[in-house]
C-alpha cells in the first residue's frame, strides 16, 4: 500500500514544478512562489514582500 | 527494514537488575501475570524512540518526573538506569541512559552519530507500539482530530501549512484591495473631472478631446495630441498670477476628496473595530487562555533563540541548567504544538487587528501628507487645520487601543468612545467647497485662467485615476492568481487525500473482515468532510445490515470497536512505516471475546509474518493458543516474572539457575539457596520425565506446570519398576532425594526445618548425581525413549555412552 500513496512532499514538489505552466496564473508570481518554495523560504511575509516589490516594479515600468 | 537483535533493560521501571533478551531479529511471545512489569518493555521502547511515555505524561508528571518514574525506585544514586537496543544494522545500536547529574536526573544516548540521530528522527514519525488504551483512541476521536492525525501520519501537515499560506496571501490581497477603497477614490476623482469637463473621462483620447475643447476658444497655436504633452499646453496658457489660485484650488480639492473618502470608510472602520473588540474581550475573559498564550509565546521565543543559534551552549537559555540542545529543541516543538490551538485564537485576533490597522494607517498617512502642505499655515485655513488635527487624534486613539498588548489583559475602549467625528468631516468638506467657489469667483470671466485651472486640476485627477487603476489592476491580478493557485492546490490535496483514503479504507476493511468473517459489517470507509471547500474532518462510515451508517461506536460492540482499532493500527503500520520492521503489541486483547482473540492471533501470524513482533500478554489461555500457533515459525517464547530481589525479570533458563546455585554454595550464601535447588530439581525431573516418558496424572496446562518434585520422583520410581530398570530402580540417590527434608508437598516448603550449609551441599550433591544418571555430558542429551534400542531392549542417550536395561 505504501508505494501507492503520494507523500505530502511529493505533492508539494509536483505542484511547484508545474506552477509556471498552470493556465491563467501570472508567470512572475508563479516564478516567485516556486523559488521561495525551493529555497525553503515559503512564508507569508516573504511572499507578501515579493508581491509588493512586483507591484512596485509594474508601477515604475508604467510611470 | 530495521529489526531488533537484542534488548536489555537495567534499573528501568520494574527491572532492578538486568532484563536481557536475545532476539536475533525473531518475533517473541511474552507471558506474564498482571503486575510483573511486562509493560517495562513497551515503556522502554516508547521512551527510547519518542522520549516520552504516554501513560507517564500529563500535568502532574514533568519531564524530570518522567525520568524519576522510569528509574527503578530501589536504585542507588550512583547507579545508572538504561535501555540498550541492538539492531539488525549495528550503526544504530545505542544505550539510552538515565543518570544523576548535579543533583538532577538527565538522560542521553550513547550513540552520538548523525546516522543514529537521523534514524531516530525518521522513526519518530512511525507508529509501531500499540497499547490497550490506544486501541480505539483514533476511532473515537472527534472528526477534526481524525483528519489532523491522519494528515500528520501521511505527511500532509506540511501540505496544510503551505495551503494555509496560499490562503492567507489571497485573503491579504483581498483585504488590501478593500482597504484601498479604489472604487470610491476613482469615483471621487471622476466627479472632479465631470465638474471640470462636464463628462466622464474614461480614456486618454476623451481626456485629450476635452482639453482641446477647453483651449479652442483661447486661439493658441497648439493642440494636445497625447497625454504626455499636457505640460507643454499648461506652460503655454499659464500666467504667473494664476499659479497661487490654482495651487489653492488643488489643495482644497485634495482635502475635500480625502474627507469624502474617509466619510465612506467610517462604517467599515467601526465594524472592523467592533469585531476586533469582541474577539479581544473573549480572550482576556479567560485567564487560563491568556496564560497558555503567554506560555506559547515564551516557548516560541526560546525556540527561535535556539534554532537561530542566538544561544549555542548545551544549556537551557532561560535557567542555564545543562541541557542537551537537540533534546531541548524537540521538547519545545512538542510543547509548542500542544499549545497550537491557543495560538491560533491569538493569530485570528492579530489578523483582525492587521486588517483594521492597514486601513487606518493608509488613511492616517494620507492625512499626515496633506497636513504637511504649507497652505495649512495660512490663517485662512486655521479652522481646517484644527479639524484635521482632531482627526489625527482620532486616529491616534484607535492606534493606542490596537497596540494594547493582550498579555496585559487590559480592557479596550468601546467603539462609540473612539468613533471619528462625522460632523468634523462634513464641516471640512463644506469649508473646502466654499473656498473653491470663492477662488473660482475671484477669476470669473477670465477664460484663460478658467481653462488653465480646469486643465491643471483635471490632469491631477486623471493622473490619480490612472495610478489608482494600475495599482488596482496589479493587486487584482495578484489576488486572482493566488486564488486560482489556492483552489488548484486544495483540489490536488483533496484528490490525493481521497485516493489515499480509498486505498487505506480497503486495507482496514480487509483486516477487519479477517477478524470478523460473515458478520453484517462491510465496506468500512474513511469519508472526508468539507465545509466551504475546506476539509474539516474525517468520519468512518460502514455498511451495517446493508445500510450505510456512522459513527462506529453507535453500532459496534466493544470487541468490534477494538478490532477496528487494531485494523487501523496495522493498516497504518503497513502504509507508513518505512524504517521500523518491528511491532510492540502490549496486552491489547483484554476486552476481546474469545473468538476475536483467536482471529487476532491468526491475523498477526498469517498477515504480518514479515514483521518482527514483540507480543505481550497476561492472558494464559491466549498465550497458550499463540504459543501453539507459533511453533515451528521461528518465534521465541518466554515468561516474565517478578520477585523482590530482581524485580521484573525473564524466567531464568535452568542453566543459569545451576550457575547461581554453584555460586551461592561457593560463597556460602544460604539466601534463597534451598528454593533455587528445589526449582532446579523440579526442572530436572520434568526433563527426565519427558524423555523417558514417565506417566503422570493428567492435569490442565497451568496445573501441569505446577507439579512438585515429590510427585515426579514417586512417578519416576514407579516407572523404573515397571520397565524393570534394574540399574536404577533401587538407586540410593533417588531414594535419598525422596526422603530428603527439602522434598515434600508444596506446603512443606514452609516447614520448620532450618537447613545448614552442609544440608544444602548434600541436597545439591544428590541433585547433581540424579542429573548424572540421566544426562550425558558427552553428547549433552538426556537418556531418552527417542534412542530406545528395540533389539537390545535398552534406553540410552544420543551417543550411546549412557545406557540402561529397559523393558517396553
Amino acid at each position: 500500500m505504501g508505494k501507492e500513496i503520494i507523500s505530502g512532499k511529493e505533492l508539494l514538489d509536483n505542484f511547484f514544478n508545474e506552477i509556471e505552466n498552470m493556465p491563467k496564473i501570472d508567470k512572475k508570481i508563479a516564478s516567485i512562489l516556486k523559488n521561495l518554495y525551493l529555497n525553503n523560504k515559503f512564508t507569508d511575509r516573504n511572499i507578501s514582500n515579493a508581491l509588493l516589490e512586483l507591484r512596485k516594479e509594474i508601477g515604475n515600468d508604467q510611470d | 527494514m530495521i529489526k531488533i537483535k537484542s534488548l536489555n533493560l537495567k534499573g528501568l521501571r520494574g527491572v532492578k537488575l538486568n532484563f536481557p533478551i536475545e532476539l536475533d531479529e525473531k518475533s517473541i511471545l511474552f507471558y506474564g501475570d498482571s503486575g510483573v512489569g511486562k509493560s517495562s518493555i513497551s515503556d522502554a521502547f516508547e521512551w527510547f524512540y519518542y522520549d516520552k511515555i504516554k501513560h507517564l505524561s500529563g500535568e502532574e508528571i514533568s519531564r524530570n518526573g518522567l525520568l524519576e518514574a522510569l528509574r527503578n525506585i530501589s536504585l542507588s544514586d550512583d547507579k545508572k538506569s538504561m535501555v540498550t537496543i541492538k539492531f539488525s544494522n549495528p550503526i544504530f545500536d545505542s544505550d539510552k541512559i538515565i543518570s544523576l547529574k548535579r543533583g538532577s536526573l538527565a538522560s542521553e544516548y550513547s550513540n552520538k552519530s548523525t546516522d543514529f540521530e537521523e534514524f531516530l528522527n525518521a522513526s519518530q514519525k512511525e507508529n509501531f507500539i500499540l497499547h490497550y488504551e490506544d486501541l480505539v483512541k483514533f476511532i473515537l476521536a472527534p472528526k477534526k482530530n481524525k483528519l489532523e492525525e491522519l494528515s500528520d501520519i501521511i505527511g500532509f501537515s506540511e501540505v496544510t501549512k503551505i495551503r494555509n499560506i496560499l490562503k492567507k496571501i489571497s485573503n491579504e490581497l483581498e483585504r488590501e484591495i478593500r482597504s484601498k477603497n479604489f472604487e470610491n477614490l476613482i469615483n471621487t476623482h471622476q466627479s472632479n473631472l465631470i465638474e471640470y469637463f462636464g463628462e466622464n473621462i474614461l480614456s486618454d483620447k476623451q481626456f485629450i478631446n476635452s482639453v482641446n475643447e477647453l483651449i479652442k476658444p483661447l486661439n493658441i497655436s497648439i493642440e494636445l495630441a497625447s497625454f504626455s504633452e499636457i505640460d507643454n499646453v499648461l506652460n503655454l496658457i499659464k500666467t504667473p498670477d494664476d499659479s497661487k489660485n490654482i495651487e489653492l484650488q488643488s489643495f482644497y480639492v485634495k482635502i475635500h476628496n480625502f474627507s469624502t473618502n474617509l466619510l465612506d470608510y467610517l462604517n467599515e472602520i467601526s465594524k472592523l473595530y467592533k469585531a476586533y473588540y469582541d474577539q479581544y474581550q473573549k480572550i482576556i475573559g479567560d485567564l487560563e487562555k491568556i496564560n497558555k498564550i503567554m506560555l506559547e509565546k515564551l516557548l516560541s521565543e526560546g525556540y527561535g533563540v535556539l534554532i537561530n543559534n542566538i544561544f549555542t551552549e548545551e544549556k537551557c537559555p532561560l535557567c542555564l541548567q545543562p541541557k542537551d540542545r537537540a533534546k531541548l529543541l524537540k521538547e519545545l516543538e512538542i510543547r509548542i504544538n500542544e499549545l497550537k490551538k491557543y495560538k491560533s485564537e491569538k493569530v485570528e485576533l492579530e489578523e483582525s487587528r492587521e486588517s483594521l490597522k492597514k486601513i487606518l494607517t493608509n488613511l492616517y498617512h494620507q492625512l499626515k501628507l496633506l497636513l504637511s502642505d504649507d497652505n495649512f499655515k495660512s490663517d485662512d485655513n486655521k479652522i481646517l487645520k484644527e479639524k484635521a488635527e482632531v482627526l489625527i487624534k482620532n486616529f491616534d486613539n484607535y492606534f493606542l487601543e490596537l497596540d494594547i498588548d493582550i498579555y496585559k489583559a487590559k480592557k479596550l475602549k468601546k467603539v462609540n468612545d473612539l468613533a471619528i467625528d462625522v460632523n468634523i468631516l462634513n464641516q471640512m468638506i463644506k469649508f473646502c467647497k466654499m473656498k473653491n467657489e470663492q477662488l473660482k469667483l475671484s477669476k470669473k470671466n477670465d477664460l484663460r485662467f478658467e481653462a488653465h485651472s480646469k486643465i491643471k486640476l483635471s490632469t491631477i485627477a486623471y493622473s490619480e485615476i490612472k495610478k489608482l487603476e494600475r495599482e488596482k489592476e496589479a493587486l487584482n491580478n495578484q489576488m486572482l492568481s493566488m486564488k486560482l493557485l489556492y483552489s488548484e492546490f486544495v483540489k490536488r490535496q483533496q484528490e490525493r487525500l481521497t485516493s489515499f483514503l480509498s486505498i487505506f479504507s480497503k486495507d482496514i476493511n480487509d483486516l477487519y473482515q479477517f477478524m470478523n468473517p460473515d458478520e453484517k459489517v462491510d465496506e468500512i470507509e474513511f469519508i472526508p468532510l468539507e465545509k466551504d471547500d475546506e476539509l474539516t474532518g474525517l468520519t468512518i462510515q460502514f455498511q451495517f445490515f446493508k445500510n450505510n451508517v456512522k459513527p462506529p461506536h453507535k453500532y459496534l460492540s466493544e470487541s468490534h470497536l477494538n478490532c477496528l482499532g487494531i485494523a487501523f493500527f496495522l493498516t497504518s503500520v503497513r502504509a507508513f512505516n518505512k524504517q521500523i520492521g518491528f511491532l510492540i503489541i502490549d496486552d491489547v486483547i483484554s476486552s476481546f471475546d474469545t473468538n476475536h482473540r483467536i482471529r487476532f492471533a491468526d491475523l498477526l501470524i498469517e498477515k504480518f509474518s514479515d514483521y518482527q513482533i514483540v507480543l505481550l500478554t497476561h492472558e494464559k489461555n491466549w498465550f497458550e493458543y499463540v504459543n501453539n500457533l507459533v511453533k515451528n515459525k521461528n518465534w521465541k517464547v518466554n515468561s516474565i516474572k517478578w520477585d523482590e530481589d530482581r524485580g521484573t525479570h525473564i524466567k531464568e533458563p535452568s542453566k543459569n539457575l545451576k550457575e547461581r546455585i554453584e555460586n551461592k554454595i561457593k560463597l556460602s550464601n544460604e539466601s534463597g539457596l534451598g528454593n533455587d535447588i528445589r526449582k532446579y530439581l523440579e526442572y530436572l525431573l520434568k526433563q527426565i520425565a519427558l524423555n523417558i516418558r514417565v506417566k503422570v496424572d493428567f492435569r490442565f496446562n497451568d496445573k501441569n506446570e505446577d507439579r512438585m518434585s515429590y510427585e515426579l520422583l514417586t512417578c519416576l520410581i514407579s516407572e523404573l519398576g515397571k520397565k524393570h530398570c534394574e540399574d536404577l530402580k533401587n538407586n540410593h540417590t533417588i531414594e535419598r532425594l525422596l526422603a530428603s527434608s527439602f522434598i515434600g508437598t508444596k506446603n512443606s516448603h514452609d516447614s520448620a526445618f532450618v537447613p545448614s550449609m552442609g544440608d544444602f551441599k548434600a541436597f545439591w550433591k544428590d541433585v547433581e548425581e540424579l542429573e548424572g544418571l540421566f544426562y550425558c555430558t558427552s553428547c549433552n542429551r538426556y537418556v531418552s525413549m527417542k534412542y530406545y534400542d528395540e533389539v537390545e531392549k535398552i534406553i540410552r542417550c544420543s551417543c550411546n555412552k549412557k545406557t540402561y536395561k529397559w523393558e517396553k
Side-chain angles (χ1 to χ4, degrees), chain B residues 195 245-246 249 252 432-447 449-450 453-454 457:
Chain B
E195 191 187 326
N245 190 310
I246 293 171
Q249 279 196 58
Y252 291 124
C432 292
K433 259 188 182 171
M434 180 198 77
K435 282 287 182 189
N436 256 342
E437 286 304 320
Q438 284 175 359
L439 287 165
K440 280 181 207 162
L441 275 173
S442 71
K443 290 282 186 176
K444 204 177 174 189
N445 300 326
D446 184 340
L447 278 181
F449 169 78
E450 200 178 326
S453 69
K454 279 184 178 175
L457 294 173

Short mmCIF file of all heavy atoms in Angstrom, two decimals, chain B residues 195 245-246 249 252 432-447 449-450 453-454 457:
data_model
loop_
_atom_site.label_atom_id
_atom_site.label_comp_id
_atom_site.label_asym_id
_atom_site.label_seq_id
_atom_site.Cartn_x
_atom_site.Cartn_y
_atom_site.Cartn_z
N GLU B 195 -16.95 67.71 -13.09
CA GLU B 195 -17.09 69.13 -12.77
C GLU B 195 -16.28 69.99 -13.74
O GLU B 195 -16.73 71.03 -14.20
CB GLU B 195 -16.63 69.36 -11.33
CG GLU B 195 -16.97 70.74 -10.80
CD GLU B 195 -16.35 70.99 -9.44
OE1 GLU B 195 -16.23 70.03 -8.65
OE2 GLU B 195 -15.97 72.14 -9.19
N ASN B 245 -3.67 80.72 -7.15
CA ASN B 245 -5.09 80.38 -7.13
C ASN B 245 -5.29 78.88 -7.44
O ASN B 245 -6.02 78.19 -6.72
CB ASN B 245 -5.82 81.24 -8.17
CG ASN B 245 -7.32 81.13 -8.04
OD1 ASN B 245 -7.84 80.04 -7.99
ND2 ASN B 245 -8.01 82.28 -8.00
N ILE B 246 -4.60 78.42 -8.49
CA ILE B 246 -4.76 77.01 -8.88
C ILE B 246 -4.21 76.09 -7.80
O ILE B 246 -4.78 75.06 -7.46
CB ILE B 246 -4.08 76.74 -10.24
CG1 ILE B 246 -4.83 77.51 -11.33
CG2 ILE B 246 -4.05 75.25 -10.56
CD1 ILE B 246 -4.16 77.51 -12.66
N GLN B 249 -6.76 75.92 -5.12
CA GLN B 249 -7.89 75.07 -5.55
C GLN B 249 -7.52 73.60 -5.43
O GLN B 249 -8.29 72.78 -4.93
CB GLN B 249 -8.24 75.38 -7.01
CG GLN B 249 -9.11 76.61 -7.18
CD GLN B 249 -9.72 76.62 -8.59
OE1 GLN B 249 -10.41 75.70 -8.96
NE2 GLN B 249 -9.46 77.69 -9.33
N TYR B 252 -7.58 72.47 -1.81
CA TYR B 252 -8.92 72.24 -1.25
C TYR B 252 -9.57 70.99 -1.87
O TYR B 252 -10.31 70.27 -1.18
CB TYR B 252 -9.82 73.48 -1.46
CG TYR B 252 -9.38 74.66 -0.62
CD1 TYR B 252 -9.07 75.90 -1.20
CD2 TYR B 252 -9.26 74.53 0.77
CE1 TYR B 252 -8.64 76.97 -0.43
CE2 TYR B 252 -8.83 75.62 1.54
CZ TYR B 252 -8.52 76.82 0.94
OH TYR B 252 -8.10 77.85 1.71
N CYS B 432 -14.03 73.38 2.28
CA CYS B 432 -13.24 73.28 1.06
C CYS B 432 -14.07 73.70 -0.16
O CYS B 432 -13.58 74.40 -1.06
CB CYS B 432 -12.71 71.87 0.85
SG CYS B 432 -11.48 71.44 2.08
N LYS B 433 -15.31 73.28 -0.18
CA LYS B 433 -16.21 73.64 -1.28
C LYS B 433 -16.35 75.16 -1.36
O LYS B 433 -16.25 75.78 -2.43
CB LYS B 433 -17.59 73.02 -1.04
CG LYS B 433 -17.85 71.76 -1.84
CD LYS B 433 -19.31 71.38 -1.64
CE LYS B 433 -19.63 70.10 -2.36
NZ LYS B 433 -20.96 69.63 -2.00
N MET B 434 -16.60 75.76 -0.20
CA MET B 434 -16.81 77.20 -0.13
C MET B 434 -15.56 77.95 -0.62
O MET B 434 -15.64 78.87 -1.43
CB MET B 434 -17.12 77.58 1.32
CG MET B 434 -17.36 79.05 1.56
SD MET B 434 -17.19 79.41 3.30
CE MET B 434 -15.44 79.40 3.53
N LYS B 435 -14.39 77.46 -0.16
CA LYS B 435 -13.15 78.12 -0.54
C LYS B 435 -12.90 78.02 -2.04
O LYS B 435 -12.48 78.99 -2.69
CB LYS B 435 -11.96 77.49 0.21
CG LYS B 435 -11.84 77.95 1.63
CD LYS B 435 -11.33 79.38 1.68
CE LYS B 435 -11.13 79.88 3.09
NZ LYS B 435 -10.84 81.32 3.11
N ASN B 436 -13.19 76.87 -2.59
CA ASN B 436 -13.00 76.69 -4.03
C ASN B 436 -13.93 77.59 -4.83
O ASN B 436 -13.53 78.17 -5.85
CB ASN B 436 -13.22 75.22 -4.41
CG ASN B 436 -11.91 74.51 -4.66
OD1 ASN B 436 -10.89 75.18 -4.88
ND2 ASN B 436 -11.91 73.20 -4.65
N GLU B 437 -15.15 77.69 -4.36
CA GLU B 437 -16.11 78.58 -5.03
C GLU B 437 -15.59 80.01 -5.03
O GLU B 437 -15.64 80.72 -6.04
CB GLU B 437 -17.48 78.52 -4.34
CG GLU B 437 -18.27 77.24 -4.61
CD GLU B 437 -18.46 76.97 -6.09
OE1 GLU B 437 -18.71 77.93 -6.84
OE2 GLU B 437 -18.28 75.80 -6.52
N GLN B 438 -15.08 80.42 -3.87
CA GLN B 438 -14.55 81.79 -3.74
C GLN B 438 -13.41 82.02 -4.73
O GLN B 438 -13.31 83.05 -5.38
CB GLN B 438 -14.05 82.02 -2.32
CG GLN B 438 -15.16 82.25 -1.33
CD GLN B 438 -14.62 82.35 0.10
OE1 GLN B 438 -13.42 82.24 0.34
NE2 GLN B 438 -15.54 82.56 1.04
N LEU B 439 -12.52 80.99 -4.83
CA LEU B 439 -11.37 81.11 -5.72
C LEU B 439 -11.81 81.23 -7.18
O LEU B 439 -11.26 82.01 -7.96
CB LEU B 439 -10.43 79.91 -5.55
CG LEU B 439 -9.61 79.91 -4.27
CD1 LEU B 439 -8.99 78.55 -4.01
CD2 LEU B 439 -8.51 80.98 -4.33
N LYS B 440 -12.81 80.44 -7.50
CA LYS B 440 -13.30 80.49 -8.89
C LYS B 440 -13.95 81.85 -9.18
O LYS B 440 -13.75 82.44 -10.24
CB LYS B 440 -14.32 79.36 -9.12
CG LYS B 440 -13.69 78.02 -9.37
CD LYS B 440 -14.78 77.00 -9.60
CE LYS B 440 -14.32 75.64 -9.20
NZ LYS B 440 -15.44 74.73 -9.01
N LEU B 441 -14.73 82.31 -8.20
CA LEU B 441 -15.43 83.59 -8.39
C LEU B 441 -14.46 84.75 -8.61
O LEU B 441 -14.70 85.68 -9.37
CB LEU B 441 -16.33 83.89 -7.18
CG LEU B 441 -17.72 83.25 -7.23
CD1 LEU B 441 -18.44 83.46 -5.91
CD2 LEU B 441 -18.53 83.88 -8.37
N SER B 442 -13.33 84.63 -7.89
CA SER B 442 -12.35 85.72 -7.99
C SER B 442 -11.79 85.85 -9.41
O SER B 442 -11.20 86.86 -9.75
CB SER B 442 -11.21 85.51 -6.99
OG SER B 442 -10.43 84.43 -7.41
N LYS B 443 -11.90 84.82 -10.23
CA LYS B 443 -11.38 84.85 -11.59
C LYS B 443 -12.50 84.69 -12.62
O LYS B 443 -12.27 84.20 -13.73
CB LYS B 443 -10.35 83.71 -11.78
CG LYS B 443 -9.06 83.91 -11.02
CD LYS B 443 -8.19 84.91 -11.76
CE LYS B 443 -6.82 85.02 -11.10
NZ LYS B 443 -5.94 85.91 -11.86
N LYS B 444 -13.69 85.03 -12.20
CA LYS B 444 -14.84 84.87 -13.09
C LYS B 444 -14.61 85.66 -14.38
O LYS B 444 -14.07 86.76 -14.36
CB LYS B 444 -16.11 85.37 -12.37
CG LYS B 444 -17.35 84.73 -12.93
CD LYS B 444 -18.57 85.19 -12.15
CE LYS B 444 -19.80 84.63 -12.84
NZ LYS B 444 -20.99 85.19 -12.27
N ASN B 445 -14.99 85.05 -15.49
CA ASN B 445 -14.87 85.65 -16.83
C ASN B 445 -13.44 85.68 -17.37
O ASN B 445 -13.19 86.23 -18.42
CB ASN B 445 -15.46 87.06 -16.88
CG ASN B 445 -16.94 87.02 -16.51
OD1 ASN B 445 -17.62 86.04 -16.84
ND2 ASN B 445 -17.42 88.05 -15.83
N ASP B 446 -12.51 85.14 -16.62
CA ASP B 446 -11.13 85.04 -17.14
C ASP B 446 -10.99 83.68 -17.82
O ASP B 446 -10.73 82.65 -17.17
CB ASP B 446 -10.13 85.18 -15.98
CG ASP B 446 -8.69 85.18 -16.46
OD1 ASP B 446 -8.46 84.71 -17.61
OD2 ASP B 446 -7.80 85.61 -15.69
N LEU B 447 -11.21 83.66 -19.13
CA LEU B 447 -11.26 82.40 -19.88
C LEU B 447 -9.96 81.61 -19.79
O LEU B 447 -9.95 80.40 -19.62
CB LEU B 447 -11.56 82.67 -21.36
CG LEU B 447 -13.02 82.87 -21.72
CD1 LEU B 447 -13.16 83.10 -23.22
CD2 LEU B 447 -13.85 81.67 -21.30
N PHE B 449 -7.67 81.78 -17.47
CA PHE B 449 -7.48 81.20 -16.12
C PHE B 449 -8.39 79.97 -15.93
O PHE B 449 -7.96 78.93 -15.42
CB PHE B 449 -7.82 82.24 -15.04
CG PHE B 449 -7.91 81.63 -13.67
CD1 PHE B 449 -6.75 81.31 -12.95
CD2 PHE B 449 -9.14 81.29 -13.12
CE1 PHE B 449 -6.84 80.70 -11.72
CE2 PHE B 449 -9.22 80.69 -11.88
CZ PHE B 449 -8.06 80.39 -11.17
N GLU B 450 -9.63 80.15 -16.39
CA GLU B 450 -10.59 79.06 -16.22
C GLU B 450 -10.07 77.78 -16.91
O GLU B 450 -10.11 76.68 -16.35
CB GLU B 450 -11.95 79.47 -16.80
CG GLU B 450 -13.08 78.64 -16.24
CD GLU B 450 -14.44 79.09 -16.79
OE1 GLU B 450 -14.61 80.32 -17.03
OE2 GLU B 450 -15.29 78.23 -16.99
N SER B 453 -6.93 76.46 -15.01
CA SER B 453 -7.22 75.78 -13.73
C SER B 453 -7.92 74.45 -13.97
O SER B 453 -7.61 73.44 -13.34
CB SER B 453 -8.04 76.67 -12.81
OG SER B 453 -9.34 76.84 -13.32
N LYS B 454 -8.85 74.44 -14.94
CA LYS B 454 -9.55 73.18 -15.20
C LYS B 454 -8.59 72.11 -15.73
O LYS B 454 -8.65 70.95 -15.33
CB LYS B 454 -10.68 73.40 -16.22
CG LYS B 454 -11.93 73.98 -15.58
CD LYS B 454 -13.05 74.10 -16.57
CE LYS B 454 -14.31 74.65 -15.89
NZ LYS B 454 -15.38 74.90 -16.85
N LEU B 457 -6.18 71.01 -12.80
CA LEU B 457 -6.84 70.17 -11.79
C LEU B 457 -7.30 68.84 -12.38
O LEU B 457 -7.23 67.79 -11.73
CB LEU B 457 -8.02 70.91 -11.16
CG LEU B 457 -7.63 72.15 -10.34
CD1 LEU B 457 -8.86 72.93 -9.90
CD2 LEU B 457 -6.81 71.75 -9.12
#
